[in-house]
Amino acid sequence: MKKTSIKKRSQSHRIPQSKQPLFMGLGFYGVLSLLVFKGSIGWHVLGWYVVIGVLTYAVYAKDKQAAQQHNWRIPESTLHVLSLLGGWVGAMIAQHQLRHKTQKPKFRLRYYLTVLINLAGLLYLISGGDLSRL
């Protein structure tokens, strides 16, 4: 019996799966904040990521609503461009919370590619164009 009680206690300290994207997003914004205070990036970069993230979440929510009401949909390419421009955190949270675009493997693959490309651009920005500094 002790083993099950230990197992239950250790599981209670885990972040619920429903909250993981939110915490990952907050973690990313936290890292950006540290980079601002370190002087590696400007406040405008952090502000951009927050604004584009909120905008992207709103666009996903609008697309989800349109899907439910059988109305005109937002093109997937628009959702990917928003992620590429830095809205991937908002997209990640929206996909999870709204259960939108989670069952389409092709869409998900393209989404993850936009995240990687965006993060590569951020690393380039942080390095000042000299990736050997990283």
Side-chain angles (χ1 to χ4, degrees), residues 15 19-37 41 46 49-50 88-90 92-93 119 122 126:
I15 296 171
K19 302 282 186 207
Q20 286 176 357
L22 180 62
F23 281 102
M24 287 174 56
L26 290 174
F28 175 72
Y29 291 139
V31 169
L32 286 181
S33 297
L34 289 174
L35 290 170
V36 167
F37 288 114
I41 60 173
L46 174 60
Y49 271 97
V50 171
W88 60 267
V89 172
M92 175 181 61
I93 294 169
L119 290 177
L122 180 60
I126 291 167

Side-chain angles (χ1 to χ4, degrees), residues 62 100 123:
K62 183 177 179 180
H100 191 49
L123 283 175

Side-chain angles (χ1 to χ4, degrees), residues 2 15 26 28 52 61 67 73 93 98 110 115 117 131:
K2 284 187 179 182
I15 296 171
L26 290 174
F28 175 72
I52 196 75
R73 302 284 304 278
I93 294 169
L98 305 174
R110 289 181 180 139
V115 173
I117 293 167
L131 294 178

Side-chain angles (χ1 to χ4, degrees), residues 4 22 32-33 53 57 64 66 83 95 107-108 126-127 134:
T4 57
L22 180 62
L32 286 181
S33 297
Y57 185 96
K64 174 71 175 193
S83 291
Q95 287 173 19
F107 180 89
R108 302 281 293 164
I126 291 167
S127 72
L134 295 175

